Amino acid sequence: MQAIPHLPALRRRQLLQGAAAAAAGSLLPLGQAFAQGFPSQPLRLIVPFGPGGLADISARLVAAKLGEKLGQQVLVDNRPGAGGIVAAQATLSAPHDGHTLILFSNGTTIAKTLLKLPYDPQADFVPLSSMAYFDLNLLVGKDSPFKDLKALLAEGARRPLNLGSINPGSTQHLSAELFRATSHIQAVMVPFKTSGEVQVALLRGDIDVGFESYAALRGGIDGGQLRALATTGPARTPWLPQVPTAREMGLDYEVTGWNAVYAPKGVPQAALDVLGAAMREVMAQPDLRKRLLELGTEPRGSTPAEMAAVFEHDRRKWAQVIQQANIKV
């Protein structure tokens, strides 16, 4: 390389070093070069639920931490409705450059079987990491005669029980269907539009038991208006440690809900690697974990392969429930 005339020695060295660095950068693999410049703008996390719910609040907490980690703001974009179709189509219509992500839930696995989707959640999207897991509760009103799950099952052997949940086809509804199937009790499904209506029906005695998350009816549970006979997860929860699981009570029954972050297929692998690693680091932060636990969810990051396996397991599980119960929308 020719000497650069008429410049002080220090300045010449700086220019030569800069030129050498630029030349080295041009030799980087395309993916690595992309990763060094990613993200280049604020990100958008599309949430298929309205503001204020568990998924929305959890997503906003995670998005704030993820933005700090990536050095770019992560904005939550609520697109509720139509079984997640609106949110999915908004994600697919955006550039597939890693700056637009979507929140999937176990409800997405249900929608794949129950609805005629204009896309395939598994073929058209790729997982980055799980975000949080939560179980449901078998709830009764404070004046209910059922003191534990065994008493409820004994009554279900004598007469049809009224099982309440939100929205036919929801995780809560299918959990009730799975409970009826695995416990072999007589039962009638009673649908409601909101979790609040489930609570009112329990307090009035219109239904015998309701299926809902702790987060959705936290006020009624903590305030003593509702009692949890059992939880549906694999182990007792930190937020209701005194309540046994259904398995503890001798019933072969387990339901776990989850939320996870996905990207549309076609995003460069370098960007997926950056996002996935950032998600796992964020989900391990103690202050975020504490806040999510207080909401009634268990924070948990994962590899893409682990999340894909969870999705497929739940898809098969709920497809069987839907088929056996002959549920149609």
Side-chain angles (χ1 to χ4, degrees), residues 117-176:
L117 301 175
Y119 56 89
D120 185 330
Q122 290 173 286
D124 297 329
F125 295 87
V126 292
L128 295 175
S129 170
S130 59
M131 192 174 80
Y133 285 76
F134 56 93
D135 57 13
L136 298 178
N137 301 282
L138 277 68
L139 298 167
V140 296
K142 60 183 178 63
D143 297 324
S144 170
F146 306 122
K147 302 305 179 185
D148 55 33
L149 182 58
K150 290 183 178 179
L152 178 73
L153 294 176
E155 184 68 10
R158 288 190 288 268
R159 67 167 176 89
L161 298 178
N162 292 320
L163 311 184
S165 73
I166 61 169
N167 303 339
S170 66
T171 302
Q172 291 88 333
H173 170 227
L174 294 186
S175 298

Side-chain angles (χ1 to χ4, degrees), residues 253-300:
Y253 172 73
E254 182 179 317
V255 173
T256 302
W258 49 263
N259 293 315
V261 178
Y262 275 63
K265 187 177 181 180
V267 171
Q269 187 60 47
L272 296 178
D273 292 342
V274 169
L275 291 166
M279 274 294 301
R280 289 186 289 278
E281 290 185 35
V282 162
M283 296 312 304
Q285 294 181 0
D287 57 337
L288 177 64
R289 294 180 60 81
K290 180 177 182 294
R291 185 71 184 94
L292 290 174
L293 284 169
E294 290 171 350
L295 289 174
T297 67
E298 178 194 349
R300 193 190 310 171

Side-chain angles (χ1 to χ4, degrees), residues 46 79 84-94 102 118-119 125:
I46 298 181
R79 299 290 185 98
I85 295 175
V86 174
Q89 290 183 322
T91 307
L92 291 173
S93 65
I102 187 170
Y119 56 89
F125 295 87

Side-chain angles (χ1 to χ4, degrees), residues 38-104:
F38 178 83
S40 59
Q41 63 190 53
L43 290 84
R44 187 165 52 130
L45 176 58
I46 298 181
V47 175
F49 305 101
L54 175 62
D56 174 68
I57 295 172
S58 301
R60 291 179 185 278
L61 291 171
V62 172
K65 291 292 186 180
L66 187 61
E68 293 173 6
K69 183 69 182 174
L70 294 173
Q72 290 282 0
Q73 189 176 11
V74 180
L75 305 171
V76 172
D77 183 356
N78 298 95
R79 299 290 185 98
I85 295 175
V86 174
Q89 290 183 322
T91 307
L92 291 173
S93 65
H96 293 199
D97 58 5
H99 291 94
T100 302
L101 310 174
I102 187 170
L103 185 81
F104 274 4

